[in-house]
Amino acid sequence: MTADLLASLAGTKGLPPVWLMRQAGRYLPEYRAQRARAGNFMNLCLTPSMVREVTLQPLRRFDLDAAIIFSDILLIPYALGFGLTYNEAPQLEPVGETIPEGPPEGWLERLTPVYEAITLTRRALAEGIDGTARTSPPSLIGFAGAPWTLACYMIDGSGETNFARTANLARTNPALIDQLIALLTPLVADHLIAQVRAGAQVLQLFDSWAGLIPADKQERWLIAPTRAIVQAITKSETPAPVIGFPRGLGLAALDFAERTAVTAVTLDSTVRLARAIALTSLPLQGNIDPMHLMIGGEALDRQVDRLAAHGFHHPLIANLAHGVVPQTPPEHVARFVRRLRQPSP
């Protein structure tokens, strides 16, 4: 069960494949122009032809090994009927004191535009985004938010918070979070499986706020849900590799990976890559600090050279420790990719 992105980890050159979290986004002027044409963020996410265009934009600029479909983790709560708007940050209608026992009928159909966009993008990658079909076109990555991270947004209603209500409920009413995690876990699996059916070849599960889970709740709210999602994907008629991203766990991400059976794991910038490599044979992804990419220069070069050197000795996907920040000059991304392809001696 591999895709080109992961199969290439054992490439003849020894250099790691590369893609970037949030490689399509506000740092690109062509993205900002497309978003303006869409009118608002939700229109952009739910218009398949626009999603295809935005997904392909960074591949027209940079020699990347994968495209990640342009979408948003909060489309699952949106499909469940929770009101969702975007200004500078998402605003989500918060869940009440009673958790629904199950999703509304036809909830997955509300996400049909996502799957149509994946099919369009996969076709475009196969045909060649520059008009020339490649023997091995870039892989297409689908993704979803993990149950805990979705729960954080659904409980607090905004991403521009410290998730104070979630933190309070985690300690005063954990049963409510248990119910929300139980609701979301099979829905996340269904959404990811639908993306593979539509053409996604690799999946990434973002648990962006995993570091906020109390230690005594990690098995219930992090490990068990992720393991169930991976098992559902593995047992489906269209299994696919899953990259786990438990942001904020540091080196404990390795334990997470082994206990959940994800195919690969993304490391955040707090982890010393050499130490992680010494402790596991699992494929790793990351872990350059996005601030280094934003600043650029020789400090970035040193980080890229370090990453490339490790790629000769361990299955590694070159990436960031989180997404590209909006203030990043596109020229720095170009420098990152060029340096990775031709590291210093």
Side-chain angles (χ1 to χ4, degrees), residues 274-323:
R275 177 62 175 158
I277 288 172
L279 293 174
T280 186
S281 60
L282 285 171
L284 303 175
Q285 178 172 277
N287 64 334
I288 289 179
D289 189 329
M291 294 299 105
H292 275 114
L293 185 64
M294 185 186 76
I295 296 167
E298 293 183 1
L300 174 63
D301 291 346
R302 288 193 294 270
Q303 295 293 317
V304 175
D305 289 347
R306 172 186 59 83
L307 203 66
H310 285 307
F312 282 95
H313 310 292
H314 190 92
L316 176 68
I317 301 169
N319 209 313
L320 302 178
H322 198 40

CSV table of all heavy atoms in Angstrom, one decimal, residues 274-323:
chain,number,residue,atom,x,y,z
A,274,ALA,N,17.8,14.2,14.1
A,274,ALA,CA,18.8,13.0,14.2
A,274,ALA,C,18.4,12.1,15.4
A,274,ALA,O,18.5,10.9,15.3
A,274,ALA,CB,20.2,13.6,14.5
A,275,ARG,N,17.8,12.7,16.4
A,275,ARG,CA,17.4,11.9,17.6
A,275,ARG,C,16.2,11.0,17.2
A,275,ARG,O,16.1,9.8,17.5
A,275,ARG,CB,17.0,12.8,18.7
A,275,ARG,CG,16.4,12.1,19.9
A,275,ARG,CD,17.4,11.2,20.6
A,275,ARG,NE,16.9,10.6,21.8
A,275,ARG,CZ,17.4,9.5,22.3
A,275,ARG,NH1,18.4,8.8,21.7
A,275,ARG,NH2,16.9,9.0,23.4
A,276,ALA,N,15.2,11.6,16.4
A,276,ALA,CA,14.1,10.8,16.0
A,276,ALA,C,14.5,9.7,15.1
A,276,ALA,O,14.0,8.6,15.2
A,276,ALA,CB,13.1,11.8,15.2
A,277,ILE,N,15.4,9.9,14.2
A,277,ILE,CA,15.9,8.9,13.3
A,277,ILE,C,16.6,7.8,14.0
A,277,ILE,O,16.4,6.6,13.7
A,277,ILE,CB,16.9,9.5,12.2
A,277,ILE,CG1,16.0,10.4,11.2
A,277,ILE,CG2,17.7,8.5,11.5
A,277,ILE,CD1,16.9,11.2,10.3
A,278,ALA,N,17.3,8.1,15.1
A,278,ALA,CA,17.9,7.1,15.9
A,278,ALA,C,16.9,6.2,16.6
A,278,ALA,O,17.3,5.1,17.0
A,278,ALA,CB,18.9,7.7,16.9
A,279,LEU,N,15.7,6.7,16.8
A,279,LEU,CA,14.7,5.9,17.6
A,279,LEU,C,13.7,5.2,16.8
A,279,LEU,O,12.9,4.4,17.4
A,279,LEU,CB,14.0,6.9,18.5
A,279,LEU,CG,14.8,7.6,19.6
A,279,LEU,CD1,14.0,8.6,20.3
A,279,LEU,CD2,15.3,6.5,20.6
A,280,THR,N,13.6,5.4,15.5
A,280,THR,CA,12.6,4.7,14.7
A,280,THR,C,13.0,4.4,13.3
A,280,THR,O,13.9,5.1,12.7
A,280,THR,CB,11.3,5.6,14.6
A,280,THR,OG1,10.2,4.9,14.0
A,280,THR,CG2,11.5,6.9,13.9
A,281,SER,N,12.4,3.4,12.7
A,281,SER,CA,12.6,3.1,11.2
A,281,SER,C,11.4,3.6,10.4
A,281,SER,O,11.4,3.5,9.2
A,281,SER,CB,12.8,1.6,11.0
A,281,SER,OG,11.6,0.9,11.5
A,282,LEU,N,10.4,4.2,11.1
A,282,LEU,CA,9.2,4.7,10.4
A,282,LEU,C,9.6,5.9,9.5
A,282,LEU,O,10.5,6.7,9.8
A,282,LEU,CB,8.2,5.2,11.4
A,282,LEU,CG,7.4,4.1,12.1
A,282,LEU,CD1,6.5,4.7,13.2
A,282,LEU,CD2,6.5,3.3,11.1
A,283,PRO,N,8.9,6.0,8.3
A,283,PRO,CA,9.1,7.2,7.5
A,283,PRO,C,8.7,8.5,8.3
A,283,PRO,O,7.7,8.5,9.0
A,283,PRO,CB,8.1,7.0,6.3
A,283,PRO,CG,8.0,5.5,6.3
A,283,PRO,CD,8.0,5.1,7.7
A,284,LEU,N,9.5,9.5,8.2
A,284,LEU,CA,9.3,10.8,8.9
A,284,LEU,C,9.0,11.9,7.9
A,284,LEU,O,9.5,11.8,6.7
A,284,LEU,CB,10.5,11.1,9.7
A,284,LEU,CG,10.9,10.1,10.8
A,284,LEU,CD1,12.2,10.5,11.5
A,284,LEU,CD2,9.8,9.9,11.8
A,285,GLN,N,8.3,12.9,8.3
A,285,GLN,CA,8.1,14.1,7.5
A,285,GLN,C,8.3,15.3,8.3
A,285,GLN,O,8.0,15.4,9.5
A,285,GLN,CB,6.6,14.1,7.0
A,285,GLN,CG,6.3,15.3,6.2
A,285,GLN,CD,4.9,15.2,5.5
A,285,GLN,OE1,4.8,14.6,4.5
A,285,GLN,NE2,3.9,15.8,6.2
A,286,GLY,N,8.9,16.3,7.7
A,286,GLY,CA,9.2,17.6,8.4
A,286,GLY,C,10.7,17.9,8.3
A,286,GLY,O,11.3,17.5,7.3
A,287,ASN,N,11.2,18.7,9.2
A,287,ASN,CA,10.5,19.4,10.3
A,287,ASN,C,11.1,20.8,10.4
A,287,ASN,O,11.4,21.3,11.5
A,287,ASN,CB,10.5,18.6,11.6
A,287,ASN,CG,12.0,18.5,12.1
A,287,ASN,OD1,12.9,18.5,11.4
A,287,ASN,ND2,12.1,18.4,13.4
A,288,ILE,N,11.3,21.5,9.3
A,288,ILE,CA,11.9,22.8,9.3
A,288,ILE,C,10.8,23.8,9.8
A,288,ILE,O,9.7,23.8,9.4
A,288,ILE,CB,12.3,23.2,7.9
A,288,ILE,CG1,13.6,22.4,7.5
A,288,ILE,CG2,12.6,24.7,7.7
A,288,ILE,CD1,14.1,22.6,6.1
A,289,ASP,N,11.3,24.7,10.7
A,289,ASP,CA,10.5,25.7,11.3
A,289,ASP,C,10.0,26.6,10.2
A,289,ASP,O,10.8,27.2,9.4
A,289,ASP,CB,11.3,26.5,12.3
A,289,ASP,CG,10.4,27.5,13.1
A,289,ASP,OD1,9.4,28.0,12.6
A,289,ASP,OD2,10.8,27.7,14.3
A,290,PRO,N,8.7,26.9,10.0
A,290,PRO,CA,8.2,27.8,9.0
A,290,PRO,C,8.8,29.2,9.0
A,290,PRO,O,8.9,29.9,8.0
A,290,PRO,CB,6.7,27.8,9.2
A,290,PRO,CG,6.4,26.5,9.9
A,290,PRO,CD,7.6,26.2,10.8
A,291,MET,N,9.3,29.6,10.2
A,291,MET,CA,9.9,30.9,10.3
A,291,MET,C,11.2,30.9,9.6
A,291,MET,O,11.6,32.0,9.1
A,291,MET,CB,10.1,31.2,11.8
A,291,MET,CG,8.8,31.4,12.6
A,291,MET,SD,7.8,32.8,12.0
A,291,MET,CE,6.5,31.9,11.2
A,292,HIS,N,12.0,29.8,9.5
A,292,HIS,CA,13.2,29.8,8.8
A,292,HIS,C,12.9,30.0,7.3
A,292,HIS,O,13.6,30.6,6.6
A,292,HIS,CB,13.9,28.4,9.0
A,292,HIS,CG,14.8,28.4,10.1
A,292,HIS,ND1,14.5,27.5,11.2
A,292,HIS,CD2,15.9,29.0,10.5
A,292,HIS,CE1,15.5,27.7,12.1
A,292,HIS,NE2,16.3,28.6,11.7
A,293,LEU,N,11.8,29.4,6.8
A,293,LEU,CA,11.4,29.6,5.4
A,293,LEU,C,11.0,31.0,5.2
A,293,LEU,O,11.4,31.6,4.1
A,293,LEU,CB,10.2,28.6,5.1
A,293,LEU,CG,9.8,28.7,3.6
A,293,LEU,CD1,10.9,28.1,2.7
A,293,LEU,CD2,8.6,27.8,3.4
A,294,MET,N,10.3,31.6,6.1
A,294,MET,CA,9.9,33.0,5.9
A,294,MET,C,11.2,34.0,5.9
A,294,MET,O,11.2,34.9,5.1
A,294,MET,CB,9.0,33.5,7.1
A,294,MET,CG,8.5,34.9,6.9
A,294,MET,SD,7.5,35.4,8.3
A,294,MET,CE,8.8,35.8,9.5
A,295,ILE,N,12.2,33.7,6.8
A,295,ILE,CA,13.3,34.6,6.8
A,295,ILE,C,14.3,34.3,5.7
A,295,ILE,O,14.9,35.2,5.1
A,295,ILE,CB,14.0,34.3,8.2
A,295,ILE,CG1,13.1,34.8,9.3
A,295,ILE,CG2,15.4,35.1,8.3
A,295,ILE,CD1,13.6,34.3,10.7
A,296,GLY,N,14.5,33.0,5.3
A,296,GLY,CA,15.3,32.7,4.2
A,296,GLY,C,16.8,32.8,4.5
A,296,GLY,O,17.2,32.8,5.6
A,297,GLY,N,17.6,33.0,3.4
A,297,GLY,CA,19.0,33.2,3.6
A,297,GLY,C,19.8,31.9,3.9
A,297,GLY,O,19.4,30.8,3.8
A,298,GLU,N,21.0,32.2,4.5
A,298,GLU,CA,21.9,31.1,4.8
A,298,GLU,C,21.4,30.2,5.9
A,298,GLU,O,21.7,29.0,5.9
A,298,GLU,CB,23.3,31.7,5.1
A,298,GLU,CG,24.0,32.3,4.0
A,298,GLU,CD,25.4,32.8,4.3
A,298,GLU,OE1,25.8,32.6,5.5
A,298,GLU,OE2,26.1,33.4,3.4
A,299,ALA,N,20.7,30.8,6.8
A,299,ALA,CA,20.1,29.9,7.9
A,299,ALA,C,19.2,28.9,7.3
A,299,ALA,O,19.2,27.7,7.8
A,299,ALA,CB,19.4,30.8,8.9
A,300,LEU,N,18.4,29.3,6.3
A,300,LEU,CA,17.5,28.3,5.7
A,300,LEU,C,18.3,27.3,4.9
A,300,LEU,O,18.0,26.1,5.0
A,300,LEU,CB,16.5,29.1,4.7
A,300,LEU,CG,15.6,28.2,3.8
A,300,LEU,CD1,14.7,27.3,4.7
A,300,LEU,CD2,14.9,29.0,2.8
A,301,ASP,N,19.3,27.7,4.2
A,301,ASP,CA,20.2,26.8,3.5
A,301,ASP,C,20.7,25.7,4.4
A,301,ASP,O,20.8,24.5,4.0
A,301,ASP,CB,21.4,27.5,2.8
A,301,ASP,CG,20.9,28.4,1.7
A,301,ASP,OD1,19.8,28.3,1.2
A,301,ASP,OD2,21.7,29.3,1.3
A,302,ARG,N,21.2,26.1,5.6
A,302,ARG,CA,21.7,25.1,6.5
A,302,ARG,C,20.7,24.1,6.9
A,302,ARG,O,21.0,22.9,7.1
A,302,ARG,CB,22.3,25.8,7.7
A,302,ARG,CG,23.6,26.6,7.5
A,302,ARG,CD,24.3,27.0,8.8
A,302,ARG,NE,23.5,28.0,9.5
A,302,ARG,CZ,23.6,29.3,9.3
A,302,ARG,NH1,24.5,29.8,8.4
A,302,ARG,NH2,22.9,30.1,10.0
A,303,GLN,N,19.5,24.6,7.2
A,303,GLN,CA,18.4,23.7,7.6
A,303,GLN,C,18.1,22.7,6.4
A,303,GLN,O,17.8,21.5,6.7
A,303,GLN,CB,17.1,24.5,7.9
A,303,GLN,CG,17.2,25.4,9.1
A,303,GLN,CD,17.4,24.6,10.4
A,303,GLN,OE1,16.7,23.6,10.6
A,303,GLN,NE2,18.3,25.0,11.3
A,304,VAL,N,18.0,23.2,5.2
A,304,VAL,CA,17.7,22.3,4.0
A,304,VAL,C,18.9,21.3,3.8
A,304,VAL,O,18.6,20.1,3.6
A,304,VAL,CB,17.5,23.2,2.8
A,304,VAL,CG1,17.3,22.3,1.6
A,304,VAL,CG2,16.3,24.1,2.9
A,305,ASP,N,20.1,21.7,4.0
A,305,ASP,CA,21.2,20.8,3.8
A,305,ASP,C,21.2,19.7,4.8
A,305,ASP,O,21.4,18.5,4.6
A,305,ASP,CB,22.6,21.5,3.9
A,305,ASP,CG,22.8,22.5,2.7
A,305,ASP,OD1,22.1,22.3,1.7
A,305,ASP,OD2,23.7,23.3,2.8
A,306,ARG,N,20.8,20.1,6.1
A,306,ARG,CA,20.7,19.1,7.1
A,306,ARG,C,19.6,18.1,6.8
A,306,ARG,O,19.8,16.8,6.9
A,306,ARG,CB,20.3,19.8,8.5
A,306,ARG,CG,19.9,18.8,9.6
A,306,ARG,CD,19.5,19.6,10.8
A,306,ARG,NE,18.3,20.4,10.5
A,306,ARG,CZ,17.1,20.0,10.5
A,306,ARG,NH1,16.8,18.7,10.8
A,306,ARG,NH2,16.1,20.8,10.3
A,307,LEU,N,18.5,18.6,6.3
A,307,LEU,CA,17.3,17.7,5.9
A,307,LEU,C,17.7,16.8,4.8
A,307,LEU,O,17.5,15.6,4.8
A,307,LEU,CB,16.1,18.6,5.5
A,307,LEU,CG,14.8,18.0,5.6
A,307,LEU,CD1,14.4,17.7,7.1
A,307,LEU,CD2,13.7,18.9,5.0
A,308,ALA,N,18.4,17.3,3.8
A,308,ALA,CA,18.8,16.5,2.6
A,308,ALA,C,19.8,15.4,3.0
A,308,ALA,O,19.7,14.3,2.6
A,308,ALA,CB,19.4,17.4,1.6
A,309,ALA,N,20.7,15.7,3.9
A,309,ALA,CA,21.7,14.7,4.4
A,309,ALA,C,21.0,13.6,5.1
A,309,ALA,O,21.3,12.4,4.9
A,309,ALA,CB,22.7,15.4,5.3
A,310,HIS,N,20.0,13.9,5.9
A,310,HIS,CA,19.3,12.8,6.6
A,310,HIS,C,18.5,12.0,5.6
A,310,HIS,O,18.3,10.8,5.8
A,310,HIS,CB,18.3,13.4,7.6
A,310,HIS,CG,19.0,13.9,8.9
A,310,HIS,ND1,19.8,13.1,9.6
A,310,HIS,CD2,18.9,15.1,9.5
A,310,HIS,CE1,20.3,13.8,10.6
A,310,HIS,NE2,19.7,15.0,10.6
A,311,GLY,N,18.1,12.6,4.5
A,311,GLY,CA,17.3,11.8,3.5
A,311,GLY,C,18.1,10.7,2.8
A,311,GLY,O,17.5,9.8,2.3
A,312,PHE,N,19.4,10.8,2.9
A,312,PHE,CA,20.2,9.7,2.4
A,312,PHE,C,20.2,8.5,3.2
A,312,PHE,O,20.5,7.4,2.8
A,312,PHE,CB,21.7,10.2,2.2
A,312,PHE,CG,21.9,11.0,1.0
A,312,PHE,CD1,21.9,12.4,1.1
A,312,PHE,CD2,22.1,10.5,-0.3
A,312,PHE,CE1,22.1,13.2,0.0
A,312,PHE,CE2,22.4,11.3,-1.4
A,312,PHE,CZ,22.3,12.7,-1.2
A,313,HIS,N,19.9,8.6,4.5
A,313,HIS,CA,20.0,7.5,5.5
A,313,HIS,C,18.7,7.0,6.1
A,313,HIS,O,18.7,6.1,6.8
A,313,HIS,CB,21.0,8.0,6.6
A,313,HIS,CG,22.3,8.5,6.1
A,313,HIS,ND1,23.2,7.8,5.4
A,313,HIS,CD2,22.7,9.8,6.1
A,313,HIS,CE1,24.2,8.6,5.0
A,313,HIS,NE2,24.0,9.8,5.5
A,314,HIS,N,17.6,7.7,5.8
A,314,HIS,CA,16.3,7.4,6.5
A,314,HIS,C,15.2,7.8,5.5
A,314,HIS,O,15.3,8.8,4.8
A,314,HIS,CB,16.2,8.2,7.8
A,314,HIS,CG,15.1,7.7,8.6
A,314,HIS,ND1,15.2,6.7,9.6
A,314,HIS,CD2,13.8,8.1,8.7
A,314,HIS,CE1,14.0,6.5,10.2
A,314,HIS,NE2,13.1,7.3,9.6
A,315,PRO,N,14.1,7.0,5.5
A,315,PRO,CA,12.9,7.4,4.7
A,315,PRO,C,12.3,8.7,5.2
A,315,PRO,O,11.8,8.8,6.4
A,315,PRO,CB,12.0,6.2,4.9
A,315,PRO,CG,12.4,5.5,6.1
A,315,PRO,CD,13.9,5.7,6.2
A,316,LEU,N,12.4,9.8,4.4
A,316,LEU,CA,12.1,11.1,4.9
A,316,LEU,C,11.4,11.9,3.8
A,316,LEU,O,11.9,11.9,2.7
A,316,LEU,CB,13.4,11.8,5.3
A,316,LEU,CG,13.3,13.3,5.8
A,316,LEU,CD1,12.5,13.4,7.1
A,316,LEU,CD2,14.7,13.9,5.9
A,317,ILE,N,10.4,12.6,4.2
A,317,ILE,CA,9.7,13.5,3.3
A,317,ILE,C,10.1,14.9,3.7
A,317,ILE,O,9.8,15.3,4.9
A,317,ILE,CB,8.2,13.4,3.3
A,317,ILE,CG1,7.8,12.0,2.8
A,317,ILE,CG2,7.5,14.4,2.4
A,317,ILE,CD1,6.3,11.7,3.1
A,318,ALA,N,10.7,15.7,2.9
A,318,ALA,CA,11.1,17.1,3.3
A,318,ALA,C,9.8,18.0,3.3
A,318,ALA,O,9.1,18.0,2.4
A,318,ALA,CB,12.1,17.7,2.2
A,319,ASN,N,9.7,18.6,4.4
A,319,ASN,CA,8.5,19.5,4.6
A,319,ASN,C,8.8,20.4,5.8
A,319,ASN,O,9.9,20.4,6.3
A,319,ASN,CB,7.3,18.6,5.0
A,319,ASN,CG,6.0,19.2,4.5
A,319,ASN,OD1,5.7,20.4,4.8
A,319,ASN,ND2,5.1,18.4,3.9
A,320,LEU,N,7.8,21.2,6.2
A,320,LEU,CA,7.9,22.1,7.3
A,320,LEU,C,7.4,21.4,8.5
A,320,LEU,O,6.8,20.3,8.5
A,320,LEU,CB,7.1,23.4,7.0
A,320,LEU,CG,7.5,24.2,5.8
A,320,LEU,CD1,6.7,25.4,5.6
A,320,LEU,CD2,9.0,24.6,5.8
A,321,ALA,N,7.5,22.1,9.7
A,321,ALA,CA,7.0,21.6,10.9
A,321,ALA,C,5.5,22.0,11.1
A,321,ALA,O,4.8,21.6,12.0
A,321,ALA,CB,7.8,22.2,12.1
A,322,HIS,N,5.1,22.9,10.2
A,322,HIS,CA,3.7,23.3,10.1
A,322,HIS,C,3.5,24.0,8.7
A,322,HIS,O,4.4,23.9,7.9
A,322,HIS,CB,3.2,24.2,11.3
A,322,HIS,CG,1.7,24.2,11.4
A,322,HIS,ND1,0.9,23.1,11.2
A,322,HIS,CD2,0.8,25.2,11.7
A,322,HIS,CE1,-0.4,23.4,11.4
A,322,HIS,NE2,-0.4,24.7,11.7
A,323,GLY,N,2.4,24.8,8.5
A,323,GLY,CA,2.2,25.3,7.2
A,323,GLY,C,3.0,26.6,6.9
A,323,GLY,O,3.5,27.3,7.8
